[in-house]
Amino acid sequence: MNIATLPRFPLAQLPTPLEALPRLSRKLGGPQLHIKRDDQTGLALGGNKTRKLEFLVGQALAQGADTLITAGAAQSNHCRQTAAAAAKAGLRCHLLLNGDTPGQIPNGNLLLDGLVGAVVHWIERRERATRLNQLSAALREQKLNPYVIGVGGSNGVGATGYVLAMQELVEQLRVGQQAVDHIVFGSSSGGTQAGMVLGAKIAGFTGRLHGVGIDKEDRDRGPYEDELAQIANECAEYIGSNVRLTKSDFEVVYGYVGGGYGVVGDLEREAIRTAASYEGIILDPVYAGRAFGAMLDLIRKGAFKSGETVLFWHTGGAPALFAYAADLV
Ligand SMILES: *Cc1c(COP(=O)(O)O)cnc(C)c1O
């Protein structure tokens, strides 16, 4: 392994805290619950993309880039953290966001995108690839050197951040003489899950990793696991590990998409209120709220034994809450 020699730009406050959830564990009367606070990575209100961006921005700088380009939803946490990373690294940033120019005053992640100085382009989602290419070409024409980060920063380079995150957790568990049987987290573009599962193999973590499909329907079963294996193997190659994974190494939890991506339902509302009112932990409406809701549902259905320990890996996203206020009151 050669992670220590790979280009990396420091952005995250690490290690993120590992905390117990005693009040919630007691209330639910099931497994012992813990939480890994990647909502506290520190960059512009934090989140899981910060870990990926350390390696993505590292590579961008190593290649002499002066501009970052990425794309996502209007309330993308990935875009907000990329824009903040660009600011910190002294790079320009262009974001391609889905939708029409909003009429209202920007809120949530979108407000922060503007504050950190990103240039926002409103596009239709289906023209994303074309618009990315056009923008890159236009910037090169202006003698700039853009570095394109794919949606969610989920490639072999970005996933490296989660290989290290898993090593970080294993070390925290060793020092605390704790064991974790299950890890639950939201999974969408896949870099987080791919990196975690690869990291678990490398670090010898034997618990089960359950990635809750945030936008994955039953028809994605199979293709999504293939995609996860592909990102993980690209990552293994990047970091010089001999480990290779196949689709059967990945556990994706389906059935929690509700009304669709970014649509808040009772599952998310209950999860957000439960985490907030029992532990003072703020989840987000799109990812962590849904994944936490899935975990509560699985506990209710008896999916975990009462003597087991379940760790919820909080991937961040709370800035989006303010843009979803009307769905939460
Ligand atoms: C992007 C994101 C995820 C999903 O991570 P992927 O690596 O895209 O699978 C989960 N939670 C939050 C808050 C995110 O912003």
Side-chain angles (χ1 to χ4, degrees):
M1 287 233 302
N2 60 5
I3 294 187
T5 65
L6 293 171
R8 181 177 184 181
F9 184 74
L11 293 167
Q13 218 141 12
L14 303 177
T16 58
L18 172 65
E19 298 168 356
L21 298 176
R23 287 198 70 230
L24 188 60
S25 303
R26 260 198 311 281
K27 167 193 151 64
L28 298 173
Q32 286 306 306
L33 300 176
H34 287 80
I35 191 164
K36 176 78 170 147
R37 301 293 303 272
D38 275 14
D39 57 321
Q40 304 287 317
T41 53
L43 176 71
L45 306 184
N48 63 338
K49 305 310 180 305
T50 305
R51 290 189 190 265
K52 302 177 184 181
L53 284 161
E54 289 205 332
F55 290 92
L56 292 161
V57 174
Q59 186 176 64
L61 292 170
Q63 293 177 2
D66 49 32
T67 308
L68 300 182
I69 307 178
T70 197
Q75 281 298 325
S76 165
N77 302 303
H78 163 68
C79 288
R80 180 244 314 158
Q81 288 162 90
T82 301
K88 190 164 160 112
L91 303 171
R92 299 165 194 246
C93 182
H94 289 258
L95 302 175
L96 303 184
L97 303 184
N98 305 333
D100 298 321
T101 311
Q104 316 100 306
I105 295 170
N107 201 346
N109 283 306
L110 187 56
L111 171 65
L112 302 180
D113 295 343
L115 293 180
V116 297
V119 180
V120 173
H121 308 261
W122 294 98
I123 63 154
E124 281 189 57
R125 194 187 182 291
R126 57 177 173 73
E127 21 165 77
R128 186 184 271 165
T130 321
R131 295 289 299 266
L132 269 174
N133 288 334
Q134 285 173 350
L135 179 60
S136 300
L139 293 172
R140 267 191 230 100
E141 194 88 343
Q142 297 167 35
K143 302 280 175 270
L144 291 168
N145 186 9
Y147 178 92
V148 176
I149 298 178
V151 172
S154 286
N155 59 14
V157 178
T160 307
Y162 270 90
V163 173
L164 288 185
M166 188 53 77
Q167 289 184 354
E168 177 184 303
L169 174 70
V170 166
E171 178 61 14
Q172 285 175 315
L173 294 174
R174 190 188 64 75
V175 170
Q177 294 185 293
Q178 283 172 275
V180 162
D181 301 297
H182 302 272
I183 299 178
V184 179
F185 54 95
S187 188
S188 175
S189 67
T192 303
Q193 187 164 7
M196 274 187 196
V197 173
L198 175 61
K201 274 257 155 91
I202 292 171
F205 177 81
T206 52
R208 284 170 62 186
L209 287 92
H210 309 265
V212 176
I214 297 301
D215 53 357
K216 302 291 175 277
E217 314 268 3
D218 221 33
R219 61 165 190 273
D220 298 308
R221 204 186 281 271
Y224 186 51
E225 286 81 351
D226 278 333
E227 212 175 298
L228 290 167
Q230 198 189 317
I231 299 169
N233 291 334
E234 194 187 308
C235 181
E237 207 158 299
Y238 185 63
I239 67 177
S241 159
N242 295 325
V243 174
R244 290 296 179 272
L245 301 176
T246 65
K247 68 160 86 169
S248 61
D249 290 305
F250 295 92
E251 285 192 60
V252 180
V253 183
Y254 294 93
Y256 290 100
V257 175
Y261 175 84
V263 178
V264 176
D266 289 340
L267 181 96
E268 293 80 20
R269 260 189 296 274
E270 191 216 338
I272 290 168
R273 281 197 184 275
T274 302
S277 62
Y278 277 84
E279 299 284 355
I281 288 187
I282 306 302
L283 303 172
D284 83 292
V286 180
Y287 296 93
R290 180 163 287 176
F292 200 89
M295 182 182 75
L296 295 179
D297 190 51
L298 291 171
I299 291 171
R300 228 174 268 134
K301 288 176 172 159
F304 311 112
K305 299 192 200 83
S306 67
E308 289 186 317
T309 298
V310 178
L311 177 109
F312 181 75
W313 202 309
H314 192 338
T315 46
L321 275 176
F322 304 99
Y324 280 83
D327 293 318
L328 297 167
V329 289

